Amino acid sequence: MACLILLSAACPGCASEGAADGLYSASPRLVEPGDGGRQSFALRLTTQGMPYLFGGFAVCLDKAGAVEVTGVEFENAAGGLSVQAFALRPFYRGFGEDGVGWGEPKSLKRRGISTALRTVTQVCQADGSSRVEFSEVVLQTSRPGAVSASSSGFVITYSSGGSEGRFRVPFGITLCAPADKSLPLCQSQT
Amino acid sequence: MEPFPRGWKLLSVTTAITASLQVTAAPAHVDDVAFPYSGMTSRSVVSGVVAADGVAVQGADVLAIAYPAGDALDVPEGTDLGTLVVGAAGTDSLGRFSVNVDPSALPAPYVDDRGRVHLEIAISHGDREVHWTTTAVRSSHATPIGGTAERCGAYVRRDCDPGDPVYVVPGMGGSERLVVIVGTAGGRPVLPLWSTASSEAAGASVPRQLVVDLGARPSVADANDDPATWVTAPAGEPVAPVPEGEAWAPPATPPPAPSRPIGAAAALEAKLAEATPRSPAFPAIAAAIRDRSLTPAQITEGRMAAAGRSPGPCVSRVVKRHNGREETYMGVYAWSGALATVTQADGADHTLSVGTGGAHGKWSSSGSLTLSVRVGNSHTVSRVADAWAIGTVNYGVIANSCDGRRNLVPMSLGDPIKRFARAYHPALKAQCITLYGKSSVWDKDQARNVRIGGGVTVAGFSASAQSGYDTRSKLSFRPTKLTRLCGNRSVGVRLSSIIEAHKG
C-alpha cells in the first residue's frame, strides 16, 4: 500500500490506476477468439459500384450473456469505402467450407444471407475444446468512385449491459481501381 | 490464440503445487535478511510463486540482475558484462513475490533503444538457487490488473493458494487470456509499466509470471508460455527462392517429417531447471540491507539500480562465443501459383532460449531473451515455397566467477534470412479462403509465429525460437493463379497461427 502511494506520485502509469476497473464489469465484451494480428487484403481488380463480401471474421463473448451490435464501420477509410451492410451468422462448429470468403463479388441479399440478426450470444471456447461457438461477421462494401478505396480495419460497436463497447478488427481491405495504382497493395505483383 | 487454456493450465499447475497448505519456513542463514514482499505494483517487472516440492515457500529471495542491452550485450570473449542488480523481493506466506523496477532508475547500458531490459532472475531458498532469464519490454496497452478482476478462472472465484489471487486478463485486441498469479498491492488495480513481447503481441500488457519449484526436481515455468504448445521444425535439404520467370515444382525427393508439438516429455524437460548453490549475490544484498546502505523502501520502489549495485563480488564474463548459429523460426507453405514473400525488417523481434548449467556439457533451459534484427540487416525474400526460414544468431557462454555457473545466452541476431530449408507442406482444412489469381493480395503482420522447440542448436543445447509477426516481420501472398489459403484453426484463416496456400 505504501508503495502504491509513492508510485502514484512518481510514475505516469499509476495516475489512472483507479479509473481502469471498468474493464472488468459484469457485462460481456465482444472479442476475437484468437490472435490474428494485423492483416491486409486487397482485390487488385474491382468494378466500380459492385458489392463485395468479406466474411470469415469470428467474434465471440468473453463471458456468458448477450451483446447487441449497433454498427460496423471501417477505420481510416479512403476512397469512399464504407460498410453498406453487415450480417451476423452464429456458428456452433468450425467454419469448414461454410464461411464467407474475402472479396466475393456478391451482395448479402444475392448470397442469401439475412441481415436481421444483431445479437451475439456465443461465448469464446478454449482452443481444442470439443465445443465451438462464435458468430461470423460478414461485411458488404464496394468501391464507389473511380479511385481505389481502402481501410485499415473495421470497428464493431455494440451495447452490453447498458453501456457501449467498441471492438476493433485490424483487417484492412483495399479495393483497387484499374486506373489508380496509388495505394501500395494496388501496385505491381511483386 | 485460444481463449482460456493458458489460464486453465496454470490453474492445474497451481492446484498441484498447492495440494498442501503447509508453508515451508526458510532455514536460518547467518547472512539472511528478509527481502521485502509487495504485491504487484505498476513497477512489477516479474512476479510469481515459489514452492518446494509443491509446498509454498515463505522467505525465499529473488534478485533481478540486468544484463547490458542492445549492442552493449554483443561483446567479445573475455569481456566482463558488468551486470547490475536492479530489483529484489522476498516471498510471503503463500510463496508469492513481485520484483519492482522503476524504469527511470535504470542506467543507459541496461536499456535498449526501445526501453527493454534483459534480466536474469535468481530465486534462492536455503542452499538452493535457480535462474531464469527474460526480456522485459515497456507496456503499450492500458490493461489494468487487479481490482474486481476475475480470479482463478474466467468466471469463477475460487481458492487457488499459494498464487491466490489469479487474475485472468483479456487481451485488448483478442480473446487470449493472460494470467497474473500475484495479487496487487492493497488489492487496487494497477497499470503495468512492464510487459513481455508475447503479451504485447496478444494485445495486453502483463509482466512475466513465473511458477518456481526448488524441490527435488527444480523447475521454472512461465505461466503464460506452455512448452507443450511449441512445435518441431524438421528441415530437409536446402532450397532457394524460385527465380523470376521460372515455375516452381515440389522436389522429387521425399519431404521431411511434418511439424508437430514437441511432446509432453520435451515440454517437461523445458521446465526443469538446474539448481545451483546459493550465490554470494544474495548475502551481498542482505548485508547492504543490514548496514542500511540499501533500504527496503528503495527495493519496493524499484530503485536499486540507482544505487549501482553489482551482484556481490562475482563477475559475469563472456568466455566463449558461438557466432552464426542457425535459427529456424518460420514455416512458409506455398505453391507454384502463390509463392510467398517473407520480410524481416530492422527491429523484428526474435525470442530465443537461454541455457544454464553446462556441467558435463548438459544445459537446461532457463528462460529466453528477445533480440531484434539490427539496423541494416533488413531482409525481404520473395517467391518462397514449402520452406523453413532460417536466420542466424550469435550466442555466448557467460561464466560466473564465484560459482562457475554458466549461461548460454543469445547476444545478437545476424542475417535474419540466411537461407531456406525444405519443409513439409501441411494439409490444413479448418477453414480455407479463395484468393483470386492476379487479383488478391494478402499480408499478415503484428501476430506471433509459433514457437519452435529446438529452433537453434548451439553447444549441445537445443534452444527454442519464436519470431513475432510484429510490424517489422511479415508474410505475404500475391497469387498468380486461383489459390486456397487455409488455416489450422476452426475459427478461421484470420485467427490461424499456421497458414498454407495450395492450388484452388
Side-chain angles (χ1 to χ4, degrees), chain A residues 16-29:
Chain A
S16 59
E17 281 174 343
D21 209 20
L23 181 68
Y24 299 105
S25 67
S27 304
R29 299 165 66 239

Side-chain angles (χ1 to χ4, degrees), chain A residues 110-182:
Chain A
R110 189 172 158 213
R111 184 70 153 73
I113 297 175
S114 168
T115 59
L117 186 64
R118 286 288 182 266
T119 305
V120 176
T121 58
Q122 294 73 33
V123 179
C124 302
Q125 302 295 314
D127 193 18
S129 165
S130 59
R131 184 178 174 87
V132 176
E133 56 179 88
F134 57 85
S135 184
E136 180 190 27
V137 179
V138 185
L139 310 179
Q140 177 185 316
T141 185
S142 73
R143 175 171 61 82
V147 298
S148 298
S150 69
S151 67
S152 61
F154 60 89
V155 176
I156 304 170
T157 53
Y158 61 93
S159 62
S160 175
S163 59
E164 183 177 88
R166 289 166 55 86
F167 179 66
R168 175 174 178 265
V169 179
F171 186 93
I173 293 171
T174 297
L175 302 179
C176 302
D180 179 10
K181 306 295 184 189
S182 59

Side-chain angles (χ1 to χ4, degrees), chain B residues 304-348:
Chain B
M304 285 183 73
R309 297 206 170 273
S310 65
C314 309
V315 171
S316 291
R317 192 179 304 280
V318 180
V319 296
K320 177 71 176 173
R321 292 277 308 220
H322 296 278
N323 293 332
R325 313 310 298 205
E326 291 196 337
E327 174 205 0
T328 303
Y329 60 89
M330 181 194 292
V332 183
Y333 312 112
W335 77 289
S336 59
L339 299 169
T341 297
V342 179
T343 298
Q344 292 282 296
D346 296 347

Side-chain angles (χ1 to χ4, degrees), chain B residues 151-337:
Chain B
R151 299 178 183 189
C152 299
Y155 312 119
V156 296
R157 293 163 187 262
R158 71 169 84 152
D159 186 3
C160 56
D161 291 345
D164 183 37
V166 173
Y167 297 101
V168 181
V169 181
M172 299 300 285
S175 67
E176 180 175 359
R177 266 57 176 170
L178 297 165
V179 298
V180 178
I181 52 184
V182 173
T184 58
R188 297 180 179 176
V190 297
L191 285 173
L193 294 174
W194 296 106
S195 183
T196 65
S198 58
S199 294
E200 291 298 303
S205 294
V206 176
R208 189 74 68 192
Q209 306 293 304
L210 300 180
V211 179
V212 181
D213 198 301
L214 287 163
R217 297 190 79 190
S219 64
V220 184
D222 181 337
N224 288 306
D225 181 14
D226 184 352
T229 64
W230 302 358
V231 301
T232 63
E237 67 272 26
V239 293
V242 183
E244 198 70 46
E246 292 186 17
W248 176 83
T253 54
S259 175
R260 300 187 187 285
I262 63 171
L268 177 61
E269 183 73 20
K271 294 179 182 175
L272 296 180
E274 172 100 358
T276 58
R278 185 177 175 90
S279 79
F282 287 94
I285 298 300
I289 296 172
R290 192 183 302 114
D291 68 18
R292 301 186 182 180
S293 60
L294 182 66
T295 67
Q298 282 177 299
I299 294 175
T300 53
E301 290 165 20
R303 298 194 58 80
M304 285 183 73
R309 297 206 170 273
S310 65
C314 309
V315 171
S316 291
R317 192 179 304 280
V318 180
V319 296
K320 177 71 176 173
R321 292 277 308 220
H322 296 278
N323 293 332
R325 313 310 298 205
E326 291 196 337
E327 174 205 0
T328 303
Y329 60 89
M330 181 194 292
V332 183
Y333 312 112
W335 77 289
S336 59

Side-chain angles (χ1 to χ4, degrees), chain A residues 7 17 24 32 38 97 125, chain B residues 3 42-43 144 175 484 494:
Chain A
L7 288 176
E17 281 174 343
Y24 299 105
E32 287 187 284
R38 188 174 67 176
E97 296 293 324
Q125 302 295 314
Chain B
S42 290
R43 299 180 190 186
S175 67
R484 296 285 278 169
R494 165 162 168 72

Side-chain angles (χ1 to χ4, degrees), chain A residues 28-47:
Chain A
R29 299 165 66 239
L30 196 65
V31 296
E32 287 187 284
D35 172 19
R38 188 174 67 176
Q39 298 180 27
S40 302
F41 182 85
L43 277 179
R44 298 180 66 245
L45 300 171
T46 62
T47 302

